[in-house]
Amino acid sequence: MHLTHKLELFPDQKVTQMLFKEVKNAAELRQSAVEGKINAALINPTMLVNPFQVLVAANKAVHLQKTGKMKTRSLYSEIIFNLSPNNNISEAFKRFGISDGDTSVMVVLVHSEDESKLLADITARVSGQQVPVEDVSSLSDQAKIKKLYKVTPLEEKSGTLLDAVVCRMAIKDVM
């Protein structure tokens, strides 16, 4: 049900993703995250194409944390910020963070130890149904994603939506 990847550049770090739908307590979860009671990134899955997109954002966030170059206050807020195609932090939270009325949430953890206790803690907090992370595309709003990342029809013919999104995420610091 969850997906865990070891980061190649940081072998001591792992990224675990968990996807929930039919969530009834999004407002409570968001408030807990703001207060620092939940040590995870809470992401709106309607803006995600694929779990790889989250992995790219998490890898970049860990790298920026290790080099002392984060633009936000925490690793988890940096993951949310890295999903955005632009450098506006508040807009990134508006588009990629969860809102009080959301009914689905992607939970992202970065950890070094065994994740079973961390996962059990998150699962206990979320009032919703856990589904396989690979199902995130069924919750995606592709029209919104294409508009936000300014994906052209020509790009879609030559590559995938995921390619275009990851490309925008990667070059935002350069543009």
Side-chain angles (χ1 to χ4, degrees), residues 28-71:
E28 178 188 321
L29 292 170
R30 191 186 68 74
Q31 189 58 39
S32 293
V34 168
E35 294 170 358
K37 294 177 183 171
I38 291 181
N39 243 356
L42 304 177
I43 300 170
N44 176 354
T46 62
M47 296 305 292
L48 300 175
V49 180
N50 185 289
F52 181 72
Q53 180 183 356
V54 176
L55 192 59
V56 170
N59 194 49
K60 184 175 179 183
V62 171
H63 171 72
L64 292 170
Q65 182 188 45
K66 299 266 187 198
T67 59
K69 295 184 178 176
M70 291 196 321
K71 292 184 174 108

Side-chain angles (χ1 to χ4, degrees), residues 100-159:
D100 290 352
D102 286 350
T103 57
S104 57
V105 63
M106 170 75 83
V107 180
V108 182
L109 301 156
V110 178
H111 52 91
S112 52
E113 74 273 2
D114 178 45
E115 69 266 14
S116 55
K117 185 186 178 317
L118 296 167
L119 299 182
D121 180 48
I122 293 293
T123 304
R125 287 177 177 262
V126 179
S127 175
Q129 177 190 352
Q130 188 175 359
V131 294
V133 173
E134 294 80 7
D135 292 355
V136 73
S137 60
S138 67
L139 300 171
S140 299
D141 186 336
Q142 295 213 352
K144 268 187 183 175
I145 293 168
K146 289 175 188 177
K147 184 177 177 184
L148 176 66
Y149 287 98
K150 298 179 178 132
V151 179
T152 65
L154 183 62
E155 269 183 293
E156 288 185 82
K157 286 180 183 168
S158 62

Side-chain angles (χ1 to χ4, degrees), residues 1 4 7 15 18 22 36 39 44 56 58 60 72 80 83 93-94 119-120 133-134 142-143 145 168:
M1 290 291 241
T4 300
L7 297 177
V15 175
M18 302 169 70
E22 298 172 16
N39 243 356
N44 176 354
V56 170
K60 184 175 179 183
T72 65
I80 294 170
L83 287 165
F93 276 97
K94 214 179 294 176
L119 299 182
V133 173
E134 294 80 7
Q142 295 213 352
I145 293 168
R168 300 293 194 295

